[in-house]
Amino acid sequence: MNNTIVFQSDFGLVDGAVSAMEGVSLQVDESIKIHHLTHDITPYNIFEASYRLFQTVEYWPSGTVFVSVVDPGVGSKRKSVVALTKDNHYIVTPDNGTLTHLSKYVGITAIREISETTNRRKNTEASYTFHGRDVYAYTGARLASGKITFEEVGPELSVDHIIELPTFNTIITDDSLTGAIDILDVRFGSLWTSITREEFLKLNIDYGQRLEVTIYNNDNLVYQNTVIYGKSFADVRIGAPIVYVNSVYRMGVAINQGSFAKAYNIGVGAQWTIELKKIS
C-alpha cells in the first residue's frame, strides 16, 4: 500500500457527501493522501463508472486504492468488495458491474467481500443508504494506510463470478468494423467507440485517407459521411470531423474545436452503433 486513496462517485459536489468520505478517511489516518478521479459520473450509470476506472487506474502508482461508489442498489443484497488488479491496484466498490472494464481489459487477480462486522464504521449499522461513507471510504482508508491487509478485508470470492455488464464485440468484415459508442469525451463531445486501434489497423487505412462513418441509434440512421483519418484534431480544418485513435487506444470521432455529440445529437450505449468502412 502507498497510503493513497482515489475517490470516484456520481455524488457531485453540491452537498457534503464527498467531504464526508474524505473526513472518514482522515479519521482513519490523518496522513492519508486523498485524490479524486471524478464525482460527475452520470447518476446511476455503472457502465460509465467502469469505463472511467479503466481510463485512469493504470496511470497511478502500484498499491493505490480506488473507492468507486456508483451504487443504485445500495442497501440491497449486492456484494461490497475489494478487487486486486494484475497491476496491483485495489478497487473498493459494489460488485454491480463497476469492475467490468478492469476485469475484461486489465485483469483482476483476486477479489474479497468486505466483512462489515470488522470493516464498517461504528454506530452506522442502522444506516443503509451511504455505504460510500460507512463501508467503502472506511475500508479503503484502512487498506491504503496499512491498518488492514487485503486478506483482512473479508472472505475471498471467485474472480470468475465478478458481475460484468455487457460490452460490444466488434463486428469485423474485410472492409468494415462495427462497434458501439461506449462513452463521450464529455467536455469536448468527442465519441469514444468500442473499436480498438488493433482492430482498426486491419482495414489498412493510412493517415489522411477518408473512410465512411455511419452511426445508428437502434435502427435509425443518425449520421453518415466520409471522414478523414488523422493523428490529431489539427489534421482537419476547424469545424471538420475526424476519426482518430484516442488516449485509451480506441477509435474516436470528433469535430475539431466542436462537439460531435451535440452537433448530431448522439448518445452512448449499446443501442448506439458505429460503422467504420474503407472506401474502395
Side-chain angles (χ1 to χ4, degrees), residues 44-58:
Y44 318 118
N45 194 324
I46 299 167
F47 187 94
E48 187 178 334
S50 172
Y51 200 101
R52 295 307 180 201
L53 287 171
F54 163 64
Q55 179 186 353
T56 308
V57 166
E58 69 173 292

Side-chain angles (χ1 to χ4, degrees), residues 102-153:
L102 292 178
S103 178
K104 184 170 183 178
Y105 300 117
V106 175
I108 291 174
T109 59
I111 185 169
R112 290 182 174 272
E113 184 173 6
I114 297 173
S115 175
E116 293 189 20
T117 57
T118 54
N119 291 310
R120 182 182 180 122
R121 290 183 69 242
K122 292 181 179 179
N123 302 319
T124 65
E125 293 79 10
S127 173
Y128 299 99
T129 60
F130 200 178
H131 285 179
R133 176 194 66 194
D134 300 332
V135 179
Y136 301 144
Y138 181 70
T139 301
R142 280 162 57 80
L143 187 62
S145 63
K147 297 288 193 298
I148 59 171
T149 65
F150 179 56
E151 289 71 24
E152 291 173 313
V153 165

Side-chain angles (χ1 to χ4, degrees), residues 71-273:
D71 193 14
V74 62
S76 68
K77 292 183 179 180
R78 60 89 185 94
K79 290 182 171 64
S80 299
V81 300
V82 180
L84 174 62
T85 74
K86 74 170 188 178
D87 295 327
N88 199 40
H89 298 106
Y90 296 87
I91 318 298
V92 186
T93 187
D95 182 22
N96 60 3
T98 303
L99 297 169
T100 297
H101 289 82
L102 292 178
S103 178
K104 184 170 183 178
Y105 300 117
V106 175
I108 291 174
T109 59
I111 185 169
R112 290 182 174 272
E113 184 173 6
I114 297 173
S115 175
E116 293 189 20
T117 57
T118 54
N119 291 310
R120 182 182 180 122
R121 290 183 69 242
K122 292 181 179 179
N123 302 319
T124 65
E125 293 79 10
S127 173
Y128 299 99
T129 60
F130 200 178
H131 285 179
R133 176 194 66 194
D134 300 332
V135 179
Y136 301 144
Y138 181 70
T139 301
R142 280 162 57 80
L143 187 62
S145 63
K147 297 288 193 298
I148 59 171
T149 65
F150 179 56
E151 289 71 24
E152 291 173 313
V153 165
E156 187 168 12
L157 302 174
S158 170
V159 171
D160 295 334
H161 294 157
I162 291 172
I163 292 176
E164 294 188 23
L165 302 173
T167 55
F168 197 100
N169 293 319
T170 303
I171 300 170
I172 302 174
T173 72
D174 290 341
D175 64 351
S176 71
L177 302 166
T178 300
I181 301 171
D182 277 343
I183 207 161
L184 300 181
D185 185 352
V186 180
R187 187 168 178 83
F188 301 105
S190 305
L191 315 182
W192 283 18
T193 79
S194 61
I195 300 169
T196 68
R197 174 180 178 270
E198 290 76 13
E199 292 166 339
F200 181 78
L201 291 177
K202 295 177 182 179
L203 294 182
N204 294 315
I205 295 175
D206 296 323
Y207 292 121
Q209 285 188 295
R210 288 185 173 270
L211 61 153
E212 185 178 80
V213 177
T214 305
I215 298 173
Y216 286 92
N217 181 9
N218 290 316
D219 294 327
N220 298 315
L221 178 64
V222 176
Y223 178 87
Q224 188 170 55
N225 203 353
T226 58
V227 179
I228 287 175
Y229 169 48
K231 290 183 179 179
S232 66
F233 311 116
D235 286 350
V236 297
R237 60 177 174 80
I238 293 175
I242 185 171
V243 173
Y244 67 104
V245 177
N246 70 14
S247 59
V248 292
Y249 276 27
R250 301 296 189 273
M251 302 310 299
V253 184
I255 290 176
N256 184 16
Q257 297 189 35
S259 171
F260 199 102
K262 287 183 179 178
Y264 299 102
N265 294 313
I266 292 173
V268 300
Q271 77 274 21
W272 286 90
T273 57

Side-chain angles (χ1 to χ4, degrees), residues 55-70:
Q55 179 186 353
T56 308
V57 166
E58 69 173 292
Y59 302 104
W60 284 80
S62 174
T64 299
V65 173
F66 291 80
V67 174
S68 180
V69 191
V70 178

